[in-house]
Protein backbone atom coordinates (compact mmCIF):
# COMPACT_ATOMS: atom_id res chain seq x y z
CA UNK A 1 0.00 0.00 0.00
CA UNK A 2 2.77 2.43 0.90
CA UNK A 3 4.43 1.86 -2.47
CA UNK A 4 1.14 2.60 -4.23
CA UNK A 5 0.62 5.80 -2.25
CA UNK A 6 4.13 6.99 -3.08
CA UNK A 7 3.53 6.12 -6.74
CA UNK A 8 0.37 8.21 -6.79
CA UNK A 9 2.15 11.04 -5.10
CA UNK A 10 4.95 10.70 -7.59
CA UNK A 11 2.46 10.80 -10.46
CA UNK A 12 0.93 13.98 -9.13
CA UNK A 13 4.24 15.59 -8.36
CA UNK A 14 5.09 15.51 -12.10
CA UNK A 15 1.67 16.27 -13.58
CA UNK A 16 1.32 19.72 -12.06
CA UNK A 17 3.47 21.86 -14.36
CA UNK A 18 2.18 24.10 -17.20
CA UNK A 19 1.21 27.70 -18.08
CA UNK A 20 -0.74 29.85 -20.49
CA UNK A 21 2.47 30.67 -22.34
CA UNK A 22 2.95 27.23 -23.86
CA UNK A 23 4.20 27.38 -27.44
CA UNK A 24 5.19 23.75 -28.03
CA UNK A 25 4.89 20.48 -26.19
CA UNK A 26 7.61 19.04 -24.01
CA UNK A 27 8.37 15.37 -23.52
CA UNK A 28 10.26 14.73 -20.29
CA UNK A 29 11.84 11.32 -19.80
CA UNK A 30 12.64 10.41 -16.22
CA UNK A 31 14.10 7.49 -14.32
CA UNK A 32 13.97 6.43 -10.69
CA UNK A 33 16.41 4.16 -8.94
CA UNK A 34 17.96 3.25 -5.64
CA UNK A 35 21.60 4.23 -5.26
CA UNK A 36 23.95 1.27 -5.67
CA UNK A 37 21.25 -0.53 -7.68
CA UNK A 38 21.39 -0.79 -11.46
CA UNK A 39 17.63 -1.33 -11.85
CA UNK A 40 15.79 1.69 -13.28
CA UNK A 41 12.08 2.54 -13.35
CA UNK A 42 11.34 4.79 -16.31
CA UNK A 43 8.52 7.30 -16.71
CA UNK A 44 7.48 9.88 -19.28
CA UNK A 45 5.68 13.20 -18.93
CA UNK A 46 3.85 15.05 -21.73
CA UNK A 47 3.45 18.81 -21.20
CA UNK A 48 1.41 20.96 -23.57
CA UNK A 49 -1.06 23.86 -23.33
CA UNK A 50 -1.43 23.64 -19.55
CA UNK A 51 -2.11 19.92 -19.66
CA UNK A 52 0.10 17.11 -18.41
CA UNK A 53 0.13 13.38 -18.88
CA UNK A 54 2.28 11.01 -16.86
CA UNK A 55 2.83 7.33 -17.54
CA UNK A 56 5.45 4.78 -16.61
CA UNK A 57 6.92 1.91 -18.57
CA UNK A 58 4.51 -0.64 -17.08
CA UNK A 59 1.62 1.11 -18.76
CA UNK A 60 -1.23 0.09 -16.45
CA UNK A 61 -1.93 3.49 -14.92
CA UNK A 62 -1.56 7.00 -16.22
CA UNK A 63 -2.73 10.40 -15.04
CA UNK A 64 -3.72 13.60 -16.83
CA UNK A 65 -3.90 17.00 -15.20
CA UNK A 66 -5.37 20.24 -16.54
CA UNK A 67 -3.84 23.12 -14.61
CA UNK A 68 -6.37 25.64 -15.92
CA UNK A 69 -9.48 23.74 -14.80
CA UNK A 70 -7.83 21.88 -11.90
CA UNK A 71 -9.28 18.61 -13.22
CA UNK A 72 -7.36 15.37 -12.89
CA UNK A 73 -8.06 12.20 -14.87
CA UNK A 74 -6.73 8.85 -13.69
CA UNK A 75 -6.81 5.84 -16.01
CA UNK A 76 -6.41 2.09 -15.45
CA UNK A 77 -5.74 0.34 -18.76
CA UNK A 78 -6.21 -3.15 -17.28
CA UNK A 79 -9.75 -2.64 -15.99
CA UNK A 80 -10.44 -0.06 -18.75
CA UNK A 81 -11.74 2.46 -16.24
CA UNK A 82 -11.05 6.11 -15.46
CA UNK A 83 -12.01 8.71 -12.88
CA UNK A 84 -12.16 12.49 -12.98
CA UNK A 85 -11.86 14.73 -9.93
CA UNK A 86 -10.83 18.20 -8.88
CA UNK A 87 -7.34 18.41 -7.44
CA UNK A 88 -8.58 19.87 -4.15
CA UNK A 89 -10.98 16.94 -3.73
CA UNK A 90 -8.14 14.52 -4.36
CA UNK A 91 -5.97 16.26 -1.77
CA UNK A 92 -8.77 16.30 0.80
CA UNK A 93 -9.43 12.62 0.22
CA UNK A 94 -5.82 11.67 0.82
CA UNK A 95 -5.43 13.82 3.91
CA UNK A 96 -8.29 11.92 5.46
CA UNK A 97 -7.01 8.64 4.05
CA UNK A 98 -3.61 9.18 5.66
CA UNK A 99 -5.24 9.67 9.05
CA UNK A 100 -7.31 6.51 8.66
CA UNK A 101 -4.26 4.51 7.58
CA UNK A 102 -2.25 5.69 10.57
CA UNK A 103 -5.06 4.71 12.95
CA UNK A 104 -5.48 1.31 11.29
CA UNK A 105 -1.72 0.72 11.30
CA UNK A 106 -1.49 1.50 15.00
CA UNK A 107 -4.36 -0.88 15.78
CA UNK A 108 -2.92 -3.71 13.69
CA UNK A 109 0.52 -3.39 15.27
CA UNK A 110 -0.96 -3.42 18.77
CA UNK A 111 -2.64 -6.76 18.08
CA UNK A 112 0.55 -8.52 16.95
CA UNK A 113 2.71 -10.62 19.30
CA UNK A 114 6.08 -8.96 20.11
CA UNK A 115 8.13 -10.94 17.56
CA UNK A 116 5.66 -10.33 14.72
CA UNK A 117 5.40 -6.66 15.63
CA UNK A 118 9.18 -6.33 15.47
CA UNK A 119 9.21 -7.93 12.00
CA UNK A 120 6.43 -5.62 10.77
CA UNK A 121 8.18 -2.54 12.14
CA UNK A 122 11.48 -3.59 10.51
CA UNK A 123 9.73 -3.96 7.14
CA UNK A 124 8.10 -0.55 7.51
CA UNK A 125 11.43 1.03 8.35
CA UNK A 126 12.97 -0.42 5.19
CA UNK A 127 10.16 1.25 3.24
CA UNK A 128 10.85 4.55 4.95
CA UNK A 129 7.62 4.54 7.00
CA UNK A 130 7.85 5.75 10.58
CA UNK A 131 6.01 3.97 13.34
CA UNK A 132 2.65 5.47 14.34
CA UNK A 133 3.07 7.50 17.51
CA UNK A 134 0.41 8.35 20.08
CA UNK A 135 2.01 11.72 20.75
CA UNK A 136 3.83 12.71 17.57
CA UNK A 137 6.42 15.44 17.86
CA UNK A 138 7.39 18.10 15.38
CA UNK A 139 10.42 18.49 13.15
CA UNK A 140 12.45 21.54 12.23
CA UNK A 141 12.63 21.94 8.46
CA UNK A 142 15.21 24.20 6.83
CA UNK A 143 16.08 24.97 3.21
CA UNK A 144 19.54 25.80 1.92
CA UNK A 145 20.32 27.12 -1.54
CA UNK A 146 23.83 25.82 -1.92
CA UNK A 147 24.96 28.03 -4.81
CA UNK A 148 26.04 24.90 -6.69
CA UNK A 149 24.78 24.32 -10.22
CA UNK A 150 24.89 21.35 -12.54
CA UNK A 151 23.52 20.47 -15.96
CA UNK A 152 20.77 17.87 -15.84
CA UNK A 153 19.64 16.61 -19.25
CA UNK A 154 21.33 19.68 -20.70
CA UNK A 155 19.54 22.19 -18.44
CA UNK A 156 21.47 24.33 -15.98
CA UNK A 157 20.01 23.53 -12.56
CA UNK A 158 20.50 25.03 -9.11
CA UNK A 159 20.97 22.75 -6.12
CA UNK A 160 18.86 23.03 -2.96
CA UNK A 161 19.16 20.99 0.22
CA UNK A 162 16.34 20.35 2.67
CA UNK A 163 17.23 19.43 6.25
CA UNK A 164 15.00 17.84 8.87
CA UNK A 165 16.18 18.31 12.46
CA UNK A 166 19.64 19.12 11.16
CA UNK A 167 19.94 15.99 9.00
CA UNK A 168 19.98 16.05 5.19
CA UNK A 169 16.52 14.96 4.06
CA UNK A 170 16.47 15.73 0.33
CA UNK A 171 18.51 17.31 -2.45
CA UNK A 172 16.82 19.02 -5.38
CA UNK A 173 18.14 20.45 -8.64
CA UNK A 174 15.71 22.90 -10.28
CA UNK A 175 16.00 24.77 -13.55
CA UNK A 176 14.72 28.24 -14.38
CA UNK A 177 15.58 27.75 -18.06
CA UNK A 178 13.22 29.77 -20.29
CA UNK A 179 12.18 26.65 -22.18
CA UNK A 180 10.50 25.46 -19.00
CA UNK A 181 9.67 28.98 -17.81
CA UNK A 182 7.61 29.48 -20.98
CA UNK A 183 5.56 26.40 -20.09
CA UNK A 184 5.19 26.71 -16.32
CA UNK A 185 3.25 28.87 -13.90
CA UNK A 186 5.59 28.44 -10.94
CA UNK A 187 3.20 30.03 -8.44
CA UNK A 188 0.43 27.59 -9.31
CA UNK A 189 2.90 24.73 -9.44
CA UNK A 190 4.26 25.46 -5.97
CA UNK A 191 0.75 25.65 -4.51
CA UNK A 192 -0.13 22.16 -5.73
CA UNK A 193 3.24 20.72 -4.78
CA UNK A 194 2.86 22.02 -1.24
CA UNK A 195 -0.34 19.99 -0.94
CA UNK A 196 1.33 16.89 -2.36
CA UNK A 197 4.29 17.05 -0.04
CA UNK A 198 1.97 17.38 2.93
CA UNK A 199 0.17 14.21 1.84
CA UNK A 200 3.42 12.28 1.54
CA UNK A 201 4.73 13.69 4.81
CA UNK A 202 1.55 12.78 6.69
CA UNK A 203 1.55 9.27 5.29
CA UNK A 204 5.22 8.43 5.81
CA UNK A 205 5.94 10.30 9.04
CA UNK A 206 4.22 10.97 12.31
CA UNK A 207 4.97 14.50 13.40
CA UNK A 208 3.37 17.91 13.14
CA UNK A 209 5.67 19.73 10.74
CA UNK A 210 3.43 19.70 7.66
CA UNK A 211 3.35 23.50 7.55
CA UNK A 212 7.13 23.62 7.62
CA UNK A 213 7.34 21.07 4.81
CA UNK A 214 4.89 23.15 2.78
CA UNK A 215 6.92 26.34 3.21
CA UNK A 216 10.16 24.57 2.30
CA UNK A 217 8.87 23.17 -0.97
CA UNK A 218 7.09 26.36 -1.97
CA UNK A 219 10.41 28.17 -1.65
CA UNK A 220 12.21 25.63 -3.82
CA UNK A 221 9.64 25.01 -6.55
CA UNK A 222 8.80 28.66 -7.08
CA UNK A 223 12.33 28.96 -8.45
CA UNK A 224 12.05 26.36 -11.21
CA UNK A 225 11.21 22.91 -12.55
CA UNK A 226 12.63 19.91 -10.60
CA UNK A 227 15.15 18.11 -12.80
CA UNK A 228 16.64 15.83 -10.17
CA UNK A 229 15.65 14.80 -6.65
CA UNK A 230 17.53 12.64 -4.17
CA UNK A 231 15.66 11.43 -1.09
CA UNK A 232 17.59 10.28 1.96
CA UNK A 233 15.32 7.95 3.94
CA UNK A 234 16.01 7.24 7.57
CA UNK A 235 16.69 3.64 6.63
CA UNK A 236 18.09 2.17 3.41
CA UNK A 237 19.78 3.66 0.38
CA UNK A 238 19.06 7.04 -1.16
CA UNK A 239 16.39 7.18 -3.88
CA UNK A 240 17.13 9.18 -7.03
CA UNK A 241 14.60 10.78 -9.42
CA UNK A 242 16.45 12.01 -12.49
CA UNK A 243 15.49 13.67 -15.78
CA UNK A 244 17.32 11.81 -18.52
CA UNK A 245 16.05 13.70 -21.58
CA UNK A 246 13.77 16.59 -22.59
CA UNK A 247 12.40 16.92 -26.13
CA UNK A 248 10.19 19.45 -27.91
CA UNK A 249 7.24 18.01 -29.80
CA UNK A 250 3.68 18.96 -30.71
CA UNK A 251 1.51 16.38 -28.96
CA UNK A 252 -1.90 15.17 -30.16
CA UNK A 253 -4.59 16.77 -27.97
CA UNK A 254 -6.29 13.37 -27.62
CA UNK A 255 -3.41 12.32 -25.36
CA UNK A 256 -4.86 14.62 -22.69
CA UNK A 257 -8.43 13.31 -22.81
CA UNK A 258 -10.18 10.39 -21.14
CA UNK A 259 -9.90 7.30 -23.39
CA UNK A 260 -12.90 6.38 -25.51
CA UNK A 261 -14.69 3.17 -24.54
CA UNK A 262 -13.51 3.18 -20.92
CA UNK A 263 -15.92 3.13 -17.96
CA UNK A 264 -16.02 6.15 -15.66
CA UNK A 265 -15.82 5.28 -11.93
CA UNK A 266 -15.60 7.22 -8.68
CA UNK A 267 -12.20 8.24 -7.30
CA UNK A 268 -12.39 5.82 -4.37
CA UNK A 269 -13.00 2.85 -6.68
CA UNK A 270 -10.10 3.89 -8.91
CA UNK A 271 -7.72 4.09 -5.97
CA UNK A 272 -8.89 0.73 -4.67
CA UNK A 273 -8.04 -0.79 -8.05
CA UNK A 274 -4.54 0.63 -7.78
CA UNK A 275 -3.99 -0.79 -4.31
CA UNK A 276 -4.73 -4.36 -5.39
Amino acid sequence: MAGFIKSLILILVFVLFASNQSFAGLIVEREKYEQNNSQRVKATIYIQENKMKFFDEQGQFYAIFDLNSGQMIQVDNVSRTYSTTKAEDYFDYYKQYAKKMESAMREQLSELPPNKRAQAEAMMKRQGINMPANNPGSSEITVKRTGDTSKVAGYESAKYEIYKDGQLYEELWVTSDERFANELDLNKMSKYLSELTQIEHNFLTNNNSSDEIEKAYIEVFKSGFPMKIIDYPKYGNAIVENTAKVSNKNIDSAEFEAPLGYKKVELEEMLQLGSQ
Side-chain angles (χ1 to χ4, degrees), residues 11-222:
I11 286 174
L12 278 173
V13 166
F14 296 114
V15 295
L16 300 174
F17 309 102
S19 79
N20 292 327
Q21 301 174 354
S22 178
F23 299 106
L26 289 173
I27 297 179
V28 180
E29 299 176 34
R30 300 183 71 95
E31 58 183 9
K32 180 179 180 179
Y33 57 92
E34 185 177 351
Q35 281 189 344
N36 303 319
N37 189 329
S38 60
Q39 185 175 4
R40 300 288 196 270
V41 176
K42 296 182 179 180
T44 303
I45 311 161
Y46 289 167
I47 306 174
Q48 186 169 273
E49 296 179 348
N50 293 339
K51 297 178 182 179
M52 303 289 302
K53 179 178 180 179
F54 172 95
F55 54 95
D56 61 25
E57 59 187 339
Q58 295 178 339
Q60 178 175 355
F61 294 99
Y62 66 87
I64 300 167
F65 192 85
D66 186 329
L67 188 60
N68 289 330
S69 67
Q71 178 176 268
M72 183 174 68
I73 303 173
Q74 294 186 80
V75 180
D76 180 358
N77 283 320
V78 173
S79 64
R80 295 177 63 82
T81 58
Y82 72 95
S83 69
T84 62
T85 185
K86 289 288 187 177
E88 56 265 29
D89 294 334
Y90 180 93
F91 298 146
D92 288 342
Y93 178 91
Y94 257 107
K95 286 175 183 178
Q96 296 303 315
Y97 183 79
K99 293 178 181 178
K100 291 179 181 178
M101 287 297 296
E102 179 184 339
S103 177
M105 198 184 307
R106 184 184 297 113
E107 181 178 353
Q108 291 174 3
L109 288 172
S110 68
E111 295 174 352
L112 293 175
N115 63 324
K116 295 293 185 181
R117 179 185 174 98
Q119 292 176 7
E121 290 181 348
M123 180 183 69
M124 292 165 65
K125 287 180 179 179
R126 288 194 297 270
Q127 295 176 344
I129 304 173
N130 291 344
M131 300 302 105
N134 291 322
N135 297 295
S138 60
S139 295
E140 181 183 2
I141 308 296
T142 56
V143 179
K144 176 184 177 182
R145 179 164 186 168
T146 67
D148 296 337
T149 60
S150 179
K151 282 198 172 183
V152 182
Y155 289 76
E156 194 73 22
S157 305
K159 181 183 179 182
Y160 287 81
E161 294 176 342
I162 295 181
Y163 291 83
K164 181 189 291 186
D165 295 329
Q167 299 294 315
L168 182 60
Y169 177 66
E170 194 166 52
E171 295 178 8
L172 304 100
W173 284 260
V174 300
T175 184
S176 58
D177 188 285
E178 64 180 5
R179 288 168 288 184
F180 275 101
N182 287 337
E183 294 287 344
L184 309 179
D185 183 326
L186 298 180
N187 288 323
K188 289 182 179 180
M189 179 186 76
S190 61
K191 176 181 181 296
Y192 284 110
L193 286 181
S194 68
E195 295 279 2
L196 292 170
T197 52
Q198 283 194 62
I199 291 172
E200 182 175 14
H201 182 75
N202 289 340
F203 188 82
L204 298 177
T205 68
N206 298 289
N207 55 52
N208 298 318
S209 55
S210 292
D211 290 343
E212 295 301 316
I213 287 282
E214 178 183 6
K215 292 176 184 177
Y217 282 87
I218 285 178
E219 178 180 343
V220 174
F221 289 111
K222 273 188 174 181

Side-chain angles (χ1 to χ4, degrees), residues 228-243:
K228 183 177 181 180
I229 302 172
I230 303 180
D231 290 320
Y232 293 96
K234 190 173 182 180
Y235 303 93
N237 295 324
I239 305 298
V240 181
E241 293 271 350
N242 185 57
T243 299

